[in-house]
Amino acid sequence: MTATQEAPPQVTEPDWARCVGCGALHYRKKMARNLGVCPECGHHHRLTAAERIAQLTDDFSPLGLSVRATDVLGFTDTQPYPARLAKARSATGLDDAVLAGIAWLGGHPIAIAAMDFRFMGGSLGAAVGEVITSTAEVALQQRLPLLVVTASGGARMQEGVIALMQMAKISQALAALREAGLLTISLVTDPTYGGVAASFATNCDVVLMEQGARMGFAGPRVIEQTIRQKLPAGFQRSEFLLAHGMLDAVVHRKEMKPYIARALDFMAA
């Protein structure tokens, strides 16, 4: 190429995203403007903790909790636990699978803790348990409502019984808020399973769930293999759980912020 020749223009592919619900292709920025909901089929795609907080709140200040998981059991499966933690931290920019802080929602201050499924499947370990518990304690001290957004595969197996202890720890913190007359809201997103579903996800005053989200203890395939029966259609989906009394409401993502704001208005009245 001579000095007078121009380099060929760089052609970049449009940033497209394929809906996992119906397979339709959408421009990623358009999907973002639609809050991650497919315009064709209404499938609610997963959000990061930061995206979730940005959608739900008007202003957010992180608590600045520096809590990091450690390998107390010396656990190794296909790779050492510290290597998995390092990989997750590098990929997400988070210390662990939760982001917490104080926010404003509909003119009301709240404490919020949002889980992030990208970090080891949003698994509940000692660090996640400590952050959510600390957020509840801040809510108690400042007499704020607490909003917990769940997205998790359950307790973190690399921490064994230490992870399981977090279920009781967080539940006790929620009980303290309840005794103080402070509102606790659980927003269940897809997926929420295992020890998280069996504890604080369903242990709040108000339990909301996004349309089409899944929640349960074990997955449907495991249950079918165990009981040797075919499960009913829609099993563990939000609409099925609402019909069977597990939830207070199923809410479209576009309506979630005003729905929670109305609940806060009611409690403040």
Side-chain angles (χ1 to χ4, degrees):
M1 181 182 297
T2 66
T4 58
Q5 289 178 315
E6 293 183 1
Q10 296 295 316
V11 179
T12 57
E13 291 290 332
D15 193 3
W16 295 92
R18 185 177 295 276
C19 174
V20 300
C22 66
L25 281 173
H26 300 289
Y27 195 48
R28 196 175 296 275
K29 290 184 178 179
K30 180 180 179 181
M31 283 283 286
R33 289 194 298 269
N34 209 41
L35 305 184
V37 178
C38 176
E40 299 294 331
C41 70
H43 180 82
H44 288 44
H45 292 81
R46 293 175 187 169
L47 300 176
T48 68
E51 289 171 336
R52 181 75 60 180
I53 290 172
Q55 286 187 10
L56 287 174
T57 66
D58 304 312
D59 185 51
F60 174 75
S61 299
L63 287 180
L65 299 170
S66 181
V67 184
R68 294 168 69 90
T70 57
D71 186 21
V72 295
L73 301 180
F75 193 97
T76 298
D77 45 81
T78 57
Q79 59 183 287
Y81 181 34
R84 290 193 181 278
L85 288 171
K87 183 178 179 181
R89 287 166 182 155
S90 175
T92 64
L94 299 173
D95 286 336
D96 217 299
V98 65
L99 185 59
I102 304 300
W104 286 83
L105 197 167
H108 300 279
I110 63 167
I112 182 171
M115 303 184 76
D116 197 314
F117 195 79
R118 298 174 303 157
F119 197 108
M120 296 185 66
S123 49
L124 173 64
V128 175
E130 179 62 22
V131 170
I132 297 177
T133 300
S134 296
T135 306
E137 291 172 347
V138 169
L140 182 62
Q141 293 165 3
Q142 300 187 19
R143 297 201 60 80
L144 300 176
L146 172 68
L147 171 61
V148 181
V149 185
T150 63
S152 176
R156 188 169 297 175
M157 70 173 197
Q158 290 86 352
E159 296 185 19
V161 70
I162 297 171
L164 295 176
M165 290 169 60
Q166 307 310 308
M167 298 166 60
K169 178 178 178 179
I170 298 171
S171 294
Q172 282 294 103
L174 293 177
L177 289 171
R178 189 173 297 115
E179 291 172 5
L182 297 171
L183 178 67
T184 59
I185 302 174
S186 169
L187 169 51
V188 180
T189 73
D190 186 73
T192 295
Y193 275 91
V196 172
S199 58
F200 56 93
T202 52
N203 194 21
C204 289
D205 298 320
V206 179
V207 180
L208 309 176
M209 201 165 178
E210 283 193 330
Q211 287 186 6
R214 296 166 295 168
M215 179 174 68
F217 188 71
R221 280 188 298 177
V222 173
I223 296 172
E224 286 187 337
Q225 291 169 2
T226 302
I227 67 175
R228 302 184 186 279
Q229 295 180 27
K230 186 69 176 176
L231 296 171
F235 182 75
Q236 294 185 337
R237 293 284 180 181
S238 54
E239 292 76 9
F240 181 93
L241 297 173
L242 178 64
H244 289 79
M246 286 288 292
L247 315 170
D248 292 298
V250 175
V251 185
H252 192 283
R253 186 173 291 169
K254 290 183 177 180
E255 300 298 324
M256 190 64 72
K257 182 177 179 179
Y259 192 100
I260 296 174
R262 288 194 296 270
L264 296 174
D265 288 340
F266 178 81
M267 289 301 296

